[in-house]
Amino acid sequence: MKLLLDIFEKSKPLFTKGGKLEKLYPLYEAKDTFLFTPGDITTKGAHVRDQADMKRMMISVVVALIPCILFGMYNAGHQHLLVNGQGYFPFIMKLHPCLASLVQGVFIVLPVIIVSYAVGGIWEVIFSIIRKHEINEGFLVTGMLFALVLPPTIPLWQVAVGVSFGVVIGKEIFGGTGMNFLNPALTARAFLFFSYAGDMTGNKIWTSVIKEDVQVVGYTVIEKSKVLLSGFSGETPLLIASEVKETGTIEGSKIALMEALSGAPFEASAIGGNFSFWNMFVGNMGGSIGETSALACLLGAIFLLIVGVASFRIMAGMIIGVIVASWAGCFIACFFMEGQVKPFFLLPSYYHLVMGGFAFGCVFMATDPVSAAATNTGKWIYGLMIGVIVYIVRILNPAYPEGVMLAILFCNMLSPYIDHFVVKANIKRRLSRGS
Amino acid sequence: MEELFSQSMKAIFPENMLLAFFLGMCSFLACSNKMETAHGLGLAVIFVLTITCTMNWIILNFVLEPGILNGYKDLTYLGFLCYIATIAATVQFLEIFIDKFAPALYMSLGIFLPLISVNCAILGASLFMVDRDYTIVAAVNFSFSSGVGWYLAIISLAAIREKLRYSNVPAPLKGIGITFMITGLMAFCFMTFAGL
């Protein structure tokens, strides 16, 4: 460590004003603050004396993502092996199936993460050099979040295009980290979603495949052509649930729904069908790399809450929002529509928490402190709105099976508006107290 | 009922006047600097859009189309002229009316009422209404929802611009450039409800 420090200290005059590589100062500064806590002090104005500056805050999100990354790798490999029966390295399979899944997954997922980081990092460096701002660890978070919400089968050039859009249009043109109004990772994801729908839509199951004659994907039989397209983002249980036909009675619809989800008779689903609650909670299903496991997200959430980076108000608001909305939907379906309604309405509310990208979006996407609402009341409203919109899009909107990404983006857009009203109301309240 | 709901959802979100058809862009960009003005303008647009669209529906169906009132002649070629005249007249009339009976509202709408008579979204809604053969209920619903969509767009833009006031936007993009970028990104967000 001492040696490293010495080398850095020696190279410092090169980068400071008047040095040969003066233009590349952001690079030097970035490396300095990434690895050490520099001794610089603020030269003017008031400042906060705290170890945890923005860089440390951002890196703690990456730490919280570790369970999701690891499980995502394992799961990507696992699903791949389920489909193909063999991986790139058959000899590892003999050692231990779990290890084989993990190794397979690393080879599927790592390129995505590397491309996302490399391209995002290049843009960040270009902008910081030209615009002379610090290189921020924000891009580490953006790059990782973006990689984790992609299907593992995504072509790497799309990763590059998406992350370029997210970093440049979503963040840098507003002046870099902390200035943007939309979550850059979600902006990138939405950009890919609308531009290359064939590779990104949630309608088809993804699983990384090598062979063409595969017919059975682990849990559900799909046609060959769909496997070859292999574009999917984690909503298959949602799609299955939304396509269940009504049976006329409420009880019948409910049973049909549960059967469709678990792929087994209703009574047996307690011991674990394919999309049983616990299976989806653990994340043993196809989906985007990091979002399948609610359990991994929960671990990340606990870490983020303890560190104090994410707001519990937003998470709680989102969960309450979707649960209350699904109760309301169920109530309306049961009492006003007499069972003549899509069985999807009758899905137990807690299922919504583990399906699709809800857990991931709730923990990592919606809580982004830059794009979320800033006031405390605003955070509750913001979270509740996301929850309700997620439910609306999932149940009522036939265009998309999953709505977490778009619901969060929509509320990102509205969050300054929400804040404005909260602040206004607060001013009014205080004024009335004074008079 | 369901049809009306889906129609209004469509008019507010995926087929938003501003973000999908780029109608009413000028006042959208010019008046979104401050929340208060955006709020006033948005309300005025909802108000005028609904009223003029309804008026134009009545004129189209009882005056322009062959019927007892015009001696069974087809006068629809006068459409454009009539709609614009109606809008201008309605706005003038409304201005006087509101000034007289609701001075508080008049004060808050202020300059925006006359401005609105040249807002493309207003004429656009009337022309869409003609184009799509709406019934009177659908026309009222459509125009009101379009207005709400317009209001939602301008008020979000104003809030975002207030939030971004202190952000370090690259010099060439400052002002109108970044506003266009924000508008584009907002159009993304409005796609959430496509298909409802």
Side-chain angles (χ1 to χ4, degrees), chain A residues 365-410:
Chain A
M365 292 297 194
T367 54
D368 171 18
V370 178
S371 53
T375 51
N376 282 346
T377 322
K379 280 174 182 164
W380 280 112
I381 300 171
Y382 168 83
L384 285 170
M385 265 179 75
I386 297 178
V388 172
I389 294 175
V390 166
Y391 180 79
I392 290 174
V393 174
R394 277 183 178 177
I395 299 277
L396 295 177
N397 193 342
Y400 318 122
E402 172 64 307
V404 174
M405 167 185 81
L406 290 164
I408 294 174
L409 276 179
F410 187 74

Side-chain angles (χ1 to χ4, degrees), chain B residues 7 11 15 21 127-135 142 146:
Chain B
Q7 185 200 28
E15 291 184 6
F21 294 113
L127 293 179
F128 278 134
M129 178 266 297
V130 177
D131 226 28
R132 296 172 185 169
D133 279 335
Y134 282 141
T135 60
F142 167 75
S146 300

Side-chain angles (χ1 to χ4, degrees), chain A residues 101-376:
Chain A
S101 296
L102 190 62
V103 172
Q104 187 68 42
V106 168
F107 275 85
I108 295 171
V109 174
L110 213 52
V112 177
I113 296 179
I114 289 172
V115 169
S116 166
Y117 266 177
V119 177
I122 288 169
W123 282 115
E124 182 85 19
V125 169
I126 291 176
F127 268 86
S128 66
I129 287 173
I130 294 176
R131 308 216 51 228
K132 300 189 176 57
H133 67 67
E134 290 180 6
I135 295 179
N136 206 293
E137 280 172 26
F139 92 89
L140 291 179
V141 178
T142 305
M144 185 56 84
L145 284 177
F146 178 60
L148 289 182
V149 292
L150 292 174
T153 48
I154 185 149
L156 292 179
W157 64 269
Q158 281 183 16
V159 180
V161 171
V163 82
S164 303
F165 186 87
V167 170
V168 177
I169 305 290
K171 188 172 76 177
E172 288 298 341
I173 59 164
F174 296 108
T177 306
M179 312 285 193
N180 46 308
F181 77 102
L182 291 179
N183 186 328
L186 276 186
T187 315
R189 176 66 160 75
F191 172 71
L192 286 187
F193 180 77
F194 289 123
S195 310
Y196 307 103
D199 294 309
M200 298 291 287
T201 49
N203 300 356
K204 296 174 211 94
I205 226 159
W206 74 262
T207 302
S208 166
V209 281
I210 9 179
K211 284 189 289 181
E212 288 187 11
D213 54 347
V214 177
Q215 293 264 323
V216 182
V217 179
Y219 30 78
T220 171
V221 182
I222 50 178
E223 298 126 49
K224 194 159 50 173
S225 60
K226 284 189 178 173
V227 178
L228 286 175
L229 267 178
S230 63
F232 176 65
S233 71
E235 290 87 52
T236 311
L238 289 167
L239 191 76
I240 291 173
S242 68
E243 281 180 348
V244 176
K245 295 278 177 300
E246 60 194 68
T247 56
T249 61
I250 291 169
E251 270 311 299
S253 299
K254 201 165 180 176
I255 290 172
L257 176 71
M258 286 313 189
E259 269 179 9
L261 270 181
S262 60
F266 185 47
E267 287 76 18
S269 73
I271 41 172
N274 290 314
F275 289 125
S276 69
F277 178 78
W278 289 108
N279 233 357
M280 289 196 282
F281 178 72
V282 174
N284 180 20
M285 58 179 174
S288 292
I289 295 168
E291 71 177 17
T292 55
S293 170
L295 179 64
C297 294
L298 190 65
L299 292 178
I302 292 170
F303 179 81
L304 283 182
L305 289 178
I306 290 174
V307 184
V309 171
S311 159
F312 77 92
R313 292 184 181 86
I314 294 172
M315 292 190 204
M318 231 173 124
I319 292 170
I320 294 171
V322 80
I323 285 182
V324 168
S326 76
W327 281 345
C330 198
F331 181 77
I332 292 169
C334 289
F335 291 96
F336 295 102
M337 294 177 169
E338 299 292 327
Q340 298 301 319
V341 71
K342 273 203 307 189
F344 200 1
F345 277 98
L346 304 169
L347 190 73
S349 52
Y350 51 88
Y351 267 71
H352 281 287
L353 302 181
V354 296
M355 280 176 143
F358 186 87
F360 193 83
C362 176
V363 174
F364 297 108
M365 292 297 194
T367 54
D368 171 18
V370 178
S371 53
T375 51
N376 282 346

Side-chain angles (χ1 to χ4, degrees), chain A residues 127 131 133 165 169-170 172-176 179-182 187 190-191 194 337 370-372 389 392-393 396-400 403 406-407 409-410 413-417 420-421 424, chain B residues 2 5 9 13 19 35-36 39 151-153 155-157 159-164 166-171 173-174 178 181-183 185-196:
Chain A
F127 268 86
R131 308 216 51 228
H133 67 67
F165 186 87
I169 305 290
E172 288 298 341
I173 59 164
F174 296 108
M179 312 285 193
N180 46 308
F181 77 102
L182 291 179
T187 315
F191 172 71
F194 289 123
M337 294 177 169
V370 178
S371 53
I389 294 175
I392 290 174
V393 174
L396 295 177
N397 193 342
Y400 318 122
L406 290 164
L409 276 179
F410 187 74
M413 184 195 77
L414 285 185
S415 65
Y417 182 48
H420 177 86
F421 272 97
K424 271 277 144 70
Chain B
E2 211 159 88
F5 174 73
M9 274 316 211
F13 294 111
L19 301 172
M35 271 305 264
E36 274 71 37
H39 182 74
Y151 172 78
L152 204 59
I155 203 123
S156 333
L157 179 71
I160 291 167
R161 281 181 82 170
E162 279 200 352
K163 182 179 177 176
L164 295 183
Y166 300 105
S167 66
N168 177 19
V169 177
L173 274 177
K174 265 193 187 126
I178 198 75
M181 291 285 188
I182 298 171
T183 312
L185 289 173
M186 275 169 61
F188 256 25
C189 307
F190 270 68
M191 286 297 286
T192 312
F193 296 95
L196 264 180

